[in-house]
Coordinates of all heavy atoms in Angstrom, one line a residue:
A146 N -134.4 21.0 210.3 CA -134.7 20.9 211.8 C -136.2 20.5 211.9 O -137.0 21.0 211.1 CB -134.5 22.3 212.4
P147 N -136.5 19.6 212.8 CA -137.9 19.2 212.9 C -138.8 20.3 213.2 O -138.6 21.1 214.1 CB -137.9 18.2 214.0 CG -136.5 17.7 214.0 CD -135.6 18.8 213.7
V148 N -139.9 20.5 212.4 CA -140.9 21.5 212.6 C -142.3 20.8 212.4 O -142.4 19.8 211.8 CB -140.8 22.7 211.7 CG1 -139.5 23.5 212.1 CG2 -140.7 22.3 210.2
N149 N -143.3 21.5 213.0 CA -144.7 21.0 212.8 C -145.3 21.5 211.5 O -145.3 22.7 211.2 CB -145.6 21.5 214.0 CG -146.9 20.9 214.0 OD1 -147.5 20.5 213.0 ND2 -147.5 20.8 215.2
L150 N -145.7 20.5 210.6 CA -146.2 20.9 209.3 C -147.7 20.7 209.2 O -148.3 20.5 208.1 CB -145.5 20.0 208.2 CG -144.0 20.1 208.1 CD1 -143.5 19.2 207.0 CD2 -143.6 21.5 207.9
T151 N -148.4 20.8 210.4 CA -149.9 20.7 210.4 C -150.4 21.9 209.5 O -150.0 23.0 209.6 CB -150.4 20.8 211.8 OG1 -149.9 19.7 212.6 CG2 -151.9 20.7 211.8
V152 N -151.3 21.5 208.6 CA -151.9 22.5 207.7 C -152.9 23.4 208.4 O -153.6 23.0 209.3 CB -152.5 21.8 206.4 CG1 -151.4 21.0 205.7 CG2 -153.7 21.0 206.8
G153 N -153.1 24.6 207.9 CA -154.2 25.5 208.3 C -154.1 26.0 209.7 O -155.2 26.4 210.2
T154 N -152.9 26.1 210.3 CA -152.8 26.6 211.6 C -152.6 28.1 211.7 O -152.7 28.7 212.7 CB -151.7 25.9 212.4 OG1 -150.5 26.2 211.7 CG2 -152.0 24.4 212.5
L155 N -152.2 28.7 210.5 CA -151.9 30.2 210.4 C -153.1 30.8 209.7 O -153.9 30.1 209.0 CB -150.6 30.4 209.7 CG -149.4 29.8 210.4 CD1 -148.1 30.0 209.5 CD2 -149.1 30.5 211.7
P156 N -153.2 32.1 209.8 CA -154.3 32.8 209.1 C -154.3 32.6 207.6 O -153.3 32.4 206.9 CB -154.1 34.3 209.4 CG -153.3 34.3 210.7 CD -152.5 33.1 210.6
A157 N -155.5 32.5 207.0 CA -155.7 32.4 205.5 C -155.5 33.7 204.8 O -155.7 34.8 205.4 CB -157.1 31.8 205.2
N158 N -155.2 33.6 203.5 CA -155.2 34.9 202.8 C -156.6 35.4 202.5 O -157.6 34.8 202.9 CB -154.3 34.7 201.5 CG -155.0 33.9 200.4 OD1 -156.2 33.5 200.5 ND2 -154.3 33.6 199.3
G159 N -156.7 36.5 201.7 CA -158.0 37.1 201.5 C -159.0 36.2 200.8 O -160.2 36.6 200.8
W160 N -158.6 35.2 200.1 CA -159.5 34.3 199.4 C -159.7 33.0 200.2 O -160.3 32.1 199.7 CB -159.0 34.0 198.0 CG -159.2 35.2 197.1 CD1 -159.8 36.4 197.4 CD2 -158.6 35.4 195.8 NE1 -159.7 37.2 196.3 CE2 -159.0 36.6 195.3 CE3 -157.9 34.5 194.9 CZ2 -158.7 37.1 194.1 CZ3 -157.6 35.0 193.7 CH2 -158.0 36.3 193.2
G161 N -159.2 32.9 201.4 CA -159.5 31.7 202.3 C -158.5 30.6 202.1 O -158.9 29.4 202.4
L162 N -157.3 30.8 201.5 CA -156.3 29.8 201.3 C -155.2 29.8 202.4 O -154.7 30.9 202.7 CB -155.7 30.0 199.9 CG -156.7 30.0 198.7 CD1 -156.0 30.4 197.5 CD2 -157.2 28.6 198.5
Y163 N -154.9 28.7 202.9 CA -153.9 28.6 204.0 C -152.6 28.1 203.5 O -152.5 27.4 202.5 CB -154.4 27.6 205.0 CG -155.6 28.0 205.8 CD1 -156.9 27.7 205.3 CD2 -155.5 28.6 207.0 CE1 -158.0 28.1 206.0 CE2 -156.6 29.0 207.7 CZ -157.9 28.7 207.2 OH -159.0 29.1 207.9
D164 N -151.5 28.6 204.2 CA -150.1 28.1 203.9 C -149.7 28.3 202.5 O -148.9 27.5 201.9 CB -150.0 26.6 204.3 CG -150.4 26.3 205.7 OD1 -149.9 27.1 206.6 OD2 -151.1 25.3 206.0
M165 N -150.1 29.4 201.9 CA -149.6 29.7 200.5 C -148.1 30.3 200.6 O -147.4 30.2 199.6 CB -150.5 30.8 199.8 CG -151.9 30.3 199.6 SD -152.0 28.8 198.5 CE -151.7 29.5 196.9
H166 N -147.7 30.8 201.8 CA -146.3 31.1 202.0 C -145.8 30.1 203.0 O -146.0 30.2 204.2 CB -146.2 32.5 202.6 CG -146.7 33.6 201.7 ND1 -146.3 33.7 200.4 CD2 -147.5 34.6 201.9 CE1 -146.9 34.8 199.8 NE2 -147.7 35.3 200.8
G167 N -145.0 29.1 202.5 CA -144.3 28.2 203.5 C -145.0 27.0 203.8 O -145.9 26.5 203.0
N168 N -144.7 26.4 204.9 CA -145.0 25.0 205.3 C -144.3 24.1 204.3 O -143.2 23.6 204.7 CB -146.5 24.8 205.3 CG -146.9 23.7 206.3 OD1 -146.3 23.6 207.3 ND2 -148.0 22.9 206.0
V169 N -144.9 23.7 203.1 CA -144.1 23.0 202.2 C -144.3 23.6 200.8 O -145.3 24.2 200.5 CB -144.5 21.5 202.1 CG1 -144.3 20.8 203.5 CG2 -146.0 21.3 201.7
E170 N -143.3 23.4 199.9 CA -143.4 23.7 198.5 C -144.5 22.9 197.9 O -144.9 21.8 198.4 CB -142.1 23.5 197.8 CG -140.9 24.3 198.2 CD -139.7 23.9 197.4 OE1 -139.8 23.6 196.2 OE2 -138.6 24.0 198.0
E171 N -145.1 23.4 196.8 CA -146.2 22.7 196.1 C -145.9 22.5 194.6 O -145.6 23.5 193.9 CB -147.5 23.6 196.3 CG -147.8 23.8 197.8 CD -149.0 24.7 197.9 OE1 -149.8 24.9 197.0 OE2 -149.1 25.3 199.0
W172 N -146.0 21.3 194.2 CA -145.9 21.0 192.8 C -146.9 21.7 191.9 O -148.1 21.8 192.3 CB -146.1 19.5 192.5 CG -145.0 18.6 192.9 CD1 -145.0 17.6 193.9 CD2 -143.6 18.5 192.4 NE1 -143.9 17.0 194.0 CE2 -143.0 17.4 193.1 CE3 -143.0 19.2 191.4 CZ2 -141.7 17.1 192.8 CZ3 -141.6 18.8 191.1 CH2 -141.0 17.8 191.8
C173 N -146.5 22.3 190.8 CA -147.4 22.8 189.8 C -147.4 22.0 188.5 O -146.5 21.1 188.4 CB -147.1 24.3 189.5 SG -147.3 25.4 190.8
S174 N -148.3 22.2 187.6 CA -148.3 21.4 186.4 C -147.3 21.7 185.4 O -146.9 20.9 184.5 CB -149.7 21.4 185.8 OG -150.0 22.8 185.4
D175 N -146.8 23.0 185.4 CA -145.9 23.5 184.4 C -144.5 22.9 184.4 O -143.9 22.7 185.5 CB -145.7 25.0 184.5 CG -147.0 25.8 184.6 OD1 -148.0 25.3 185.3 OD2 -147.1 26.8 184.0
W176 N -143.9 22.8 183.2 CA -142.5 22.7 183.1 C -141.9 24.1 183.4 O -142.5 25.1 183.1 CB -142.1 22.3 181.6 CG -142.4 20.9 181.3 CD1 -143.4 20.5 180.4 CD2 -141.8 19.7 181.8 NE1 -143.4 19.1 180.3 CE2 -142.4 18.6 181.1 CE3 -140.7 19.4 182.6 CZ2 -142.1 17.3 181.4 CZ3 -140.3 18.1 182.9 CH2 -141.0 17.0 182.2
Y177 N -140.7 24.1 184.0 CA -140.0 25.3 184.3 C -139.4 25.9 183.0 O -138.8 25.2 182.2 CB -139.0 25.1 185.4 CG -138.2 26.3 185.7 CD1 -138.6 27.3 186.6 CD2 -136.9 26.5 185.1 CE1 -137.9 28.4 186.9 CE2 -136.2 27.7 185.3 CZ -136.7 28.6 186.3 OH -135.9 29.7 186.5
G178 N -139.5 27.2 182.8 CA -138.9 27.9 181.7 C -139.0 29.4 181.9 O -139.7 29.9 182.8
P179 N -138.3 30.2 181.1 CA -138.3 31.6 181.2 C -139.7 32.2 180.9 O -140.4 31.6 180.1 CB -137.3 32.1 180.2 CG -137.1 31.0 179.2 CD -137.4 29.7 180.0
Y180 N -140.0 33.3 181.4 CA -141.3 33.9 181.1 C -141.3 34.5 179.7 O -140.3 34.9 179.2 CB -141.6 35.1 182.1 CG -142.1 34.7 183.5 CD1 -141.9 35.5 184.5 CD2 -142.7 33.5 183.7 CE1 -142.4 35.2 185.8 CE2 -143.1 33.1 184.9 CZ -143.0 34.0 186.0 OH -143.4 33.6 187.2
A181 N -142.5 34.5 179.1 CA -142.7 35.1 177.8 C -142.6 36.6 178.0 O -142.9 37.2 179.0 CB -144.0 34.7 177.2
L182 N -142.3 37.3 176.9 CA -142.1 38.8 177.0 C -143.5 39.5 176.9 O -143.7 40.6 177.4 CB -141.3 39.3 175.8 CG -139.8 38.8 175.8 CD1 -139.1 39.4 174.5 CD2 -139.1 39.3 177.0
A183 N -144.5 38.8 176.3 CA -145.8 39.4 176.1 C -146.7 39.0 177.2 O -146.5 38.1 178.0 CB -146.4 39.0 174.8
D184 N -147.9 39.8 177.3 CA -148.9 39.4 178.3 C -149.5 38.0 177.8 O -149.4 37.6 176.7 CB -150.0 40.4 178.3 CG -149.5 41.8 178.8 OD1 -148.5 41.8 179.4 OD2 -150.2 42.8 178.6
Q185 N -150.1 37.3 178.8 CA -150.6 35.9 178.6 C -152.0 35.8 179.0 O -152.5 36.4 179.9 CB -149.7 35.0 179.4 CG -148.2 35.1 179.1 CD -147.7 33.9 178.4 OE1 -147.5 32.8 179.0 NE2 -147.5 34.0 177.1
T186 N -152.7 34.8 178.3 CA -154.0 34.4 178.6 C -154.0 32.9 178.9 O -153.6 32.1 178.1 CB -155.0 34.8 177.5 OG1 -155.0 36.2 177.3 CG2 -156.4 34.3 177.9
D187 N -154.5 32.6 180.1 CA -154.5 31.1 180.5 C -153.3 30.4 180.2 O -153.3 29.3 179.6 CB -155.7 30.5 179.8 CG -157.1 31.1 180.2 OD1 -157.2 31.5 181.4 OD2 -158.0 31.1 179.4
P188 N -152.1 30.9 180.6 CA -150.8 30.2 180.3 C -150.7 28.8 180.9 O -151.2 28.6 182.1 CB -149.8 31.2 180.8 CG -150.4 31.9 181.9 CD -151.9 32.1 181.5
T189 N -150.0 28.0 180.3 CA -149.7 26.6 180.8 C -148.3 26.3 180.9 O -147.9 25.1 181.1 CB -150.4 25.6 179.9 OG1 -150.0 25.7 178.5 CG2 -151.9 25.8 179.9
G190 N -147.4 27.2 180.6 CA -145.9 27.0 180.7 C -145.4 26.4 179.4 O -146.1 26.2 178.4
P191 N -144.1 26.1 179.3 CA -143.5 25.5 178.1 C -144.1 24.1 177.8 O -144.6 23.4 178.7 CB -142.0 25.4 178.5 CG -141.8 26.3 179.7 CD -143.1 26.3 180.4
A192 N -144.0 23.7 176.6 CA -144.5 22.4 176.2 C -143.6 21.2 176.7 O -144.1 20.1 176.9 CB -144.6 22.3 174.6
T193 N -142.3 21.5 176.8 CA -141.4 20.5 177.3 C -140.4 21.1 178.3 O -140.3 22.3 178.4 CB -140.6 19.8 176.1 OG1 -139.9 20.9 175.5 CG2 -141.5 19.2 175.1
G194 N -139.7 20.2 178.9 CA -138.6 20.7 179.9 C -138.0 19.6 180.6 O -138.3 18.4 180.4
Q195 N -137.2 19.9 181.6 CA -136.6 18.9 182.5 C -137.0 19.0 183.9 O -137.0 18.1 184.7 CB -135.1 18.9 182.4 CG -134.5 18.2 181.1 CD -133.1 17.7 181.3 OE1 -132.3 18.2 182.1 NE2 -132.8 16.6 180.6
M196 N -137.4 20.3 184.3 CA -137.8 20.5 185.7 C -139.3 20.9 185.8 O -139.8 21.7 184.9 CB -136.9 21.7 186.3 CG -135.5 21.4 186.3 SD -135.0 20.0 187.4 CE -133.3 19.7 186.8
K197 N -140.0 20.5 186.8 CA -141.3 20.9 187.1 C -141.3 22.0 188.1 O -140.5 22.0 189.1 CB -142.2 19.7 187.5 CG -142.6 18.8 186.4 CD -143.6 19.4 185.4 CE -144.0 18.4 184.4 NZ -145.0 19.1 183.4
V198 N -142.2 23.0 188.0 CA -142.2 24.1 188.9 C -142.8 23.7 190.2 O -143.7 22.9 190.3 CB -143.1 25.2 188.3 CG1 -143.4 26.4 189.3 CG2 -142.5 25.8 187.0
T199 N -142.2 24.3 191.3 CA -142.8 24.2 192.6 C -142.9 25.7 193.1 O -142.2 26.6 192.7 CB -141.9 23.4 193.6 OG1 -140.7 24.1 193.8 CG2 -141.7 22.0 193.2
R200 N -143.9 25.9 194.0 CA -144.2 27.3 194.4 C -144.4 27.3 195.9 O -144.7 26.3 196.5 CB -145.5 27.8 193.7 CG -145.2 28.2 192.2 CD -144.2 29.4 192.1 NE -144.4 30.1 190.9 CZ -144.7 31.4 190.8 NH1 -144.9 32.1 191.9 NH2 -144.8 32.0 189.7
G201 N -144.3 28.5 196.5 CA -144.7 28.7 197.9 C -143.6 28.7 198.9 O -143.8 29.1 200.0
G202 N -142.5 28.1 198.6 CA -141.4 28.0 199.6 C -141.8 27.0 200.7 O -142.8 26.3 200.6
S203 N -141.0 26.9 201.7 CA -141.1 25.8 202.7 C -140.6 26.2 204.0 O -140.1 27.3 204.3 CB -140.4 24.6 202.2 OG -139.0 24.8 202.2

Side-chain angles (χ1 to χ4, degrees):
V148 291
N149 188 331
L150 300 182
T151 300
V152 301
T154 61
L155 298 173
N158 72 5
W160 288 351
L162 302 168
Y163 293 86
D164 300 317
M165 297 299 284
H166 298 310
N168 209 35
V169 297
E170 295 176 36
E171 301 175 21
W172 288 114
C173 292
S174 60
D175 307 42
W176 291 108
Y177 176 85
Y180 282 157
L182 298 178
D184 294 346
Q185 301 252 284
T186 299
D187 297 325
T189 57
T193 61
Q195 283 207 329
M196 303 292 167
K197 285 292 186 178
V198 172
T199 64
R200 284 298 202 118
S203 68

